[in-house]
Amino acid sequence: VQAQLKDLGIDTDSQTIEKIVNLIKDKQFEGYSYDGALASFEILVRRELKQVTDYFILNRFRVTDERRWNAKGKLVTESEATININVNGEEKMTVSTGNGPVNALDGALRKALVSFYPTIDNLKLSDYKVRIVSSEKGTGAITRVTIESTDEKNNYWSTIGVSTNIIDASYNAIHDSITYKLYHDLNGKK
């Protein structure tokens, strides 16, 4: 942890380091693993140190999938996401479709944010990985989602989300990815 904090340029006392280590242990118990998701590690630490604000607050989201025969007689699956967030005291609701539920959710969230944070338009999710953490629970297992992202400056980062619901875990990873980008964009980093 000390080495990672040093790499991030964060200088803190031993009591704060101990608090961060305990926080990471608690998160690992929930299913998080920060080895391959250093952007989520950074956001977690900076939140603990009160260096990151909430750029937006989720009120709710809904994701639906529909599998049907289209007009050409071809079987298609479509995903649609509706998201409701607060940004700077303003409520924003958007809808987006995508080639899957995560793509639709990501699209709806960025559509809601782009007028407040234009650099979000340059954010790309470049990889998406799912791992089942507690396979003994079957379909009720804890799911860990890792998302790799890039931006217009060819910066690359990985974030993680954990939940018993794969879409919720995905949202958590997307939220960290956007927060990471905004933190660095708005603070002149990277």
Side-chain angles (χ1 to χ4, degrees):
V1 170
Q2 286 177 317
Q4 286 297 330
L5 293 176
K6 185 177 179 182
D7 287 348
L8 294 172
I10 297 172
D11 187 30
T12 189
D13 58 62
S14 59
Q15 185 178 7
T16 304
I17 290 172
E18 184 178 339
K19 194 174 178 183
I20 290 169
V21 167
N22 288 330
L23 176 62
I24 290 168
K25 286 179 182 178
D26 290 344
K27 298 300 267 182
Q28 286 177 331
F29 183 74
E30 294 172 20
Y32 284 83
S33 175
Y34 294 100
D35 297 340
L38 294 179
S40 283
F41 171 83
E42 180 177 349
I43 294 304
L44 178 73
V45 169
R46 291 193 186 280
R47 277 188 186 123
E48 181 65 25
L49 299 175
K50 311 273 190 266
Q51 295 176 357
V52 172
T53 60
D54 288 325
Y55 299 108
F56 60 96
I57 297 169
L58 174 71
N59 293 327
R60 66 182 179 276
F61 69 76
R62 179 179 51 231
V63 180
T64 59
D65 284 330
E66 177 183 33
R67 187 172 186 202
R68 62 179 173 77
W69 297 97
N70 68 12
K72 295 180 180 180
K74 185 177 177 185
L75 187 61
V76 294
T77 303
E78 297 173 327
S79 297
E80 180 180 281
T82 303
I83 196 156
N84 182 291
I85 60 172
N86 278 320
V87 184
N88 301 328
E90 185 178 327
E91 186 175 357
K92 191 87 171 178
M93 186 177 98
T94 57
V95 178
S96 181
T97 57
N99 64 5
V102 176
N103 181 243
L105 183 61
D106 175 54
L109 182 56
R110 288 198 282 141
K111 192 185 224 183
L113 291 171
V114 75
S115 63
F116 299 96
Y117 307 112
T119 60
I120 290 301
D121 202 33
N122 300 314
L123 173 67
K124 304 281 185 255
L125 302 183
S126 57
D127 199 4
Y128 175 83
K129 298 173 187 164
V130 177
R131 179 155 190 251
I132 302 302
V133 179
S134 55
S135 59
E136 72 280 357
K137 294 181 180 177
T139 57
I142 295 172
T143 305
R144 180 187 302 149
V145 170
T146 305
I147 290 179
E148 295 175 2
S149 303
T150 60
D151 65 11
E152 74 284 359
K153 300 173 193 169
N154 292 320
N155 291 320
Y156 159 89
W157 61 95
S158 293
T159 55
I160 190 170
V162 172
S163 177
T164 55
N165 180 302
I166 191 170
I167 304 302
D168 189 49
S170 300
Y171 172 81
N172 293 334
I174 292 168
H175 182 271
D176 271 8
S177 179
I178 290 172
T179 300
Y180 179 85
K181 176 159 179 54
L182 291 175
Y183 173 79
H184 286 279
D185 286 352
L186 299 172
N187 291 290
K189 310 257 182 195
K190 294 214 174 190

